[in-house]
């Protein structure tokens, strides 16, 4: 008996080592790689060789991002010096030789191809959908680009209009606004949303018809704050996509919400917040709408959103809180109100520093409920300055989300993105601690 067990264990170990086991182990781990990180300063600079310790865990690598030409609606590289001249497209797909199971996709959009403002913002992403000819131009050019560089497929991180952010008003104007809303309804972001939803389904079908012959993959990423119920029809998309990734985060950002901070990527609904601003709601929308669970991927961010705390923010740190807007950029990620995971972990007080009175470090609050996410903060000093609050994912909360994905029978999870995880292993000895945490709970 013992002997049989050992033999079975050995077979299992061999099978998982050679990557041949299906079922339980075939959860997808989709890794996003935003190539803009090449231009970050100092230790933030990320080049393709840094990917290697991650690729043993990733089943799919999504290279971001290509864009769309406004004049002819063809897909085109957004960073030719890097993508083409420095041959990043080639180098990224060459990784498949070393990691034969890895599928590498090119993604278009991803909030990296932003044009225009107000109602004109990213207009080309809607105009393209509106005519058969422009869709065809896009489909053919995408097929060519993907094939020429040896990608396994295309991901559509389509830049649809975002929801209006929540406004903070004082009591009187809030009362007026309630009356106004009763009369005119919520302000409409996109009057042709219903058509755009149908046309997007058509684009996906047309792409798949061309891709199918070459066995190319087609996936969809739902960008943060793009309303799924407005733009995506899960049942109609299902037959033509390999999977959809929900970027279920950035429900609050310092840019969109400069006056009130809150949890940025809650798994479940919180009291007194919009019912649909959490991952679980989004998952239920897509499953209820007809997408098979194994085609749904839950996206997890590797960065935190950081605001300034001031004297009006109170002393508890518990969100929501009044704030003065975006915290200063981190030294490596170099973007106001955003901190990479290594930038956050280096700011959090160690047990020794806590004993010594924090010494200017941040106080971390874990999430024992496993529902809302972690945060860390430092109250302002006696001049009302240097206060900061950051909401983020740590290995525990990432693990919780991976466990959620598994419990719901989803297709897997996505890490968005690798360049903001601790790719140098500065927090602990491990490189990519968030990616690893996801892997070990899937
Ligand atoms: C998303 O759209 C639905 C209507 O289709 C609306 O009820 C909901 O409030 C929207 N969500 C957000 C966060 O704006």
């Amino acid at each position: 008996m013992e002997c049989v067990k050992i033999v079975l264990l050995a077979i299992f170990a061999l099978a998982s080592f050679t990557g041949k086991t299906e079922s339980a182990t075939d959860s997808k781990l989709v890794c996003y790689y935003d190539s803009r990180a090449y231009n970050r300063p100092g230790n933030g600079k990320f080049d393709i060789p840094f990917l290697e310790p991650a690729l043993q865990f990733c089943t799919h690598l999504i290279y971001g991002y290509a864009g769309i030409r406004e004049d002819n609606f063809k897909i085109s590289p957004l960073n030719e010096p890097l993508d083409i001249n420095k041959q990043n497209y080639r180098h990224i797909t060459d990784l498949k030789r070393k990691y034969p199971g890895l599928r590498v996709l090119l993604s278009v959009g991803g909030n990296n191809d932003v044009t225009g403002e107000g109602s004109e913002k990213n207009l080309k992403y809607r105009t393209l959908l509106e005519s058969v000819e422009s869709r065809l131009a896009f489909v053919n050019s995408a097929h060519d680009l993907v094939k020429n560089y040896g990608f396994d497929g295309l991901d559509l991180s389509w830049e649809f209009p975002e929801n209006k952010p929540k406004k903070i008003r004082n009591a009187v104007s809030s009362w007026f606004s309630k009356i106004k809303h009763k009369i005119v309804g919520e302000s409409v972001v996109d009057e042709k949303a219903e058509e755009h939803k149908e046309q997007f389904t058509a684009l996906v079908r047309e792409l798949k018809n061309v891709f199918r012959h070459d066995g190319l993959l087609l996936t969809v990423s739902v960008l943060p704050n793009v309303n799924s119920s407005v733009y995506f029809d899960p049942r109609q998309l299902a037959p033509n996509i390999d999977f959809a990734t929900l970027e279920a985060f950035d429900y609050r950002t310092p840019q969109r919400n400069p006056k009130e901070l809150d949890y940025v990527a809650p798994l479940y609904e919180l009291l007194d917040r919009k019912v649909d601003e959490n991952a679980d709601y989004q998952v239920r929308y897509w499953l209820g709408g007809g997408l098979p669970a194994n085609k749904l991927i839950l996206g997890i961010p590797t960065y935190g959103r950081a605001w300034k705390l001031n004297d009006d923010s109170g002393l508890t740190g518990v969100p929501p809180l009044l704030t003065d807007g975006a915290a200063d950029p981190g030294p490596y990620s170099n973007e106001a109100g955003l901190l990479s995971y290594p930038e956050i972990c280096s700011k959090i007080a160690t047990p020794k520093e806590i004993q010594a009175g924090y010494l200017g470090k941040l106080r971390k609050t874990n999430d024992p409920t496993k529902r809302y996410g972690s945060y860390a903060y430092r109250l302002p000093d006696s001049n009302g300055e240097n206060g900061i609050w950051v909401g983020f994912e740590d290995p525990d909360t990432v693990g919780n989300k991976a466990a959620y994905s598994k419990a719901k029978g989803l297709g897997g999870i996505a890490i968005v993105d690798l360049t903001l995880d601790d790719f140098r292993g500065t927090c602990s000895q491990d490189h990519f601690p968030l990616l690893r945490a996801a892997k070990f709970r899937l």
Side-chain angles (χ1 to χ4, degrees):
M1 187 61 204
E2 208 43 34
C3 187
V4 172
K5 229 164 148 189
I6 288 167
V7 169
L8 280 177
L9 274 175
I11 291 173
F12 179 75
L14 193 68
S16 50
F17 179 72
T18 53
K20 290 271 153 43
T21 40
E22 291 295 322
S23 71
T25 52
D26 81 349
S27 282
K28 297 178 182 69
L29 216 178
V30 181
C31 297
Y32 284 67
Y33 164 48
D34 185 343
S35 60
R36 275 184 307 181
Y38 183 72
N39 295 319
R40 293 203 182 107
N43 281 346
K45 186 187 176 84
F46 191 107
D47 204 353
I48 287 178
F50 282 113
L51 284 172
E52 296 234 3
L55 295 181
Q56 56 183 311
F57 303 117
C58 307
T59 59
H60 296 72
L61 181 64
I62 310 256
Y63 183 91
Y65 285 89
I68 293 170
R69 281 180 52 165
E70 219 156 356
D71 54 347
N72 58 17
F73 299 109
K74 291 184 176 172
I75 195 171
S76 83
L78 274 179
N79 189 347
E80 273 204 33
L82 185 68
D83 299 333
I84 309 297
N85 304 351
K86 203 181 161 283
Q87 301 206 33
N88 252 18
Y89 280 181
R90 281 262 173 259
H91 293 151
I92 204 87
T93 56
D94 276 351
L95 288 168
K96 288 189 288 171
R97 281 194 224 143
K98 201 158 166 192
Y99 302 91
L102 184 70
R103 315 298 300 275
V104 184
L105 288 84
L106 178 64
S107 185
V108 60
N111 284 332
N112 280 33
D113 185 25
V114 177
T115 51
E117 275 177 53
S119 61
E120 302 274 291
K121 191 175 176 197
N122 302 334
L123 188 59
K124 63 186 174 185
Y125 280 82
R126 278 160 283 155
T127 314
L128 184 157
L129 296 178
E130 290 167 8
S131 90
V132 180
E133 293 76 37
S134 42
R135 291 204 303 264
L136 190 65
F138 177 77
V139 169
N140 288 335
S141 62
H143 183 238
D144 288 348
L145 189 67
V146 161
K147 283 203 71 173
N148 283 345
Y149 288 95
F151 286 102
D152 294 303
L154 185 72
D155 172 66
L156 302 172
S157 291
W158 213 249
E159 293 181 6
F160 282 119
E162 293 178 353
N163 296 323
K164 287 243 154 69
K166 182 185 172 197
K167 286 232 166 56
I168 305 294
R169 300 187 183 85
N170 62 37
V172 177
S173 70
S174 144
W175 177 78
F176 272 115
S177 121
K178 268 195 190 123
I179 295 201
K180 208 175 86 196
H181 278 165
K182 279 232 173 75
I183 300 166
V184 299
E186 290 276 348
S187 44
V188 182
V189 181
D190 175 5
E191 278 167 2
K192 292 193 273 183
E194 194 56 43
E195 283 143 84
H196 291 144
K197 187 188 208 172
E198 284 173 22
Q199 291 156 349
F200 183 74
T201 301
L203 174 70
V204 165
R205 187 175 53 240
E206 290 155 6
L207 271 167
K208 192 64 189 183
N209 283 342
V210 172
F211 278 22
R212 194 172 277 124
H213 303 290
D214 300 309
L216 295 173
L217 302 175
L218 182 61
T219 63
V220 165
S221 300
V222 182
L223 293 178
N225 295 306
V226 169
N227 195 327
S228 282
S229 68
V230 174
Y231 288 110
F232 298 97
D233 186 335
R235 182 166 285 107
Q236 299 295 323
L237 294 171
N240 294 316
I241 58 174
D242 292 279
F243 55 81
T245 300
L246 305 182
E247 299 193 359
F249 45 81
D250 282 352
Y251 292 110
R252 292 285 182 283
T253 72
Q255 282 71 27
R256 288 167 54 87
N257 316 92
K259 296 194 172 134
E260 190 189 61
L261 63 79
D262 206 347
Y263 289 105
V264 289
L267 184 50
Y268 288 103
E269 185 184 343
L270 287 125
L271 206 62
D272 292 333
R273 271 68 155 201
K274 277 192 178 169
V275 290
D276 54 353
E277 294 190 325
N278 57 80
D280 181 59
Y281 186 96
Q282 302 300 328
V283 167
R284 284 187 287 119
Y285 169 78
W286 279 81
L287 298 183
L291 188 78
N294 64 3
K295 287 196 175 188
L296 194 59
I297 308 287
L298 179 60
I300 304 174
T302 51
Y303 56 86
R305 292 294 186 178
W307 287 260
K308 285 180 178 150
L309 291 182
N310 62 19
D311 290 337
D312 297 330
S313 310
L315 302 173
T316 65
V318 181
L321 297 173
L322 295 176
T323 161
D324 267 347
D328 294 337
Y332 309 130
S333 54
N334 200 26
E335 191 177 323
L338 181 147
L339 294 173
S340 66
Y341 182 62
E343 284 170 335
I344 296 165
C345 83
S346 66
K347 283 182 158 54
I348 290 172
T350 61
K352 251 191 188 153
E353 289 163 337
I354 294 174
Q355 264 189 348
Y358 285 92
L359 308 172
K361 288 289 190 73
L362 272 58
R363 182 186 296 249
K364 184 179 179 218
T365 303
N366 297 319
D367 178 16
T369 67
K370 303 187 177 182
R371 296 173 71 89
Y372 311 126
S374 296
Y375 59 87
Y377 66 100
R378 178 177 63 216
L379 294 175
D381 56 29
S382 51
N383 300 322
E385 280 161 23
N386 289 314
I388 182 173
W389 188 100
V390 55
F392 64 101
E393 304 280 351
D394 62 27
D396 289 337
T397 63
V398 169
N400 292 339
K401 284 185 173 174
Y404 168 94
S405 162
K406 196 172 169 184
K408 290 252 170 182
L410 304 188
I413 59 130
I415 293 293
V416 189
D417 77 342
L418 292 177
T419 73
L420 295 168
D421 195 351
D422 184 16
F423 64 91
R424 291 177 187 273
T426 53
C427 298
S428 63
Q429 294 303 311
D430 282 342
H431 295 233
F432 297 102
L434 299 184
L435 172 67
R436 278 168 199 270
K439 170 69 191 170
F440 295 130
R441 289 292 289 280
L442 260 185

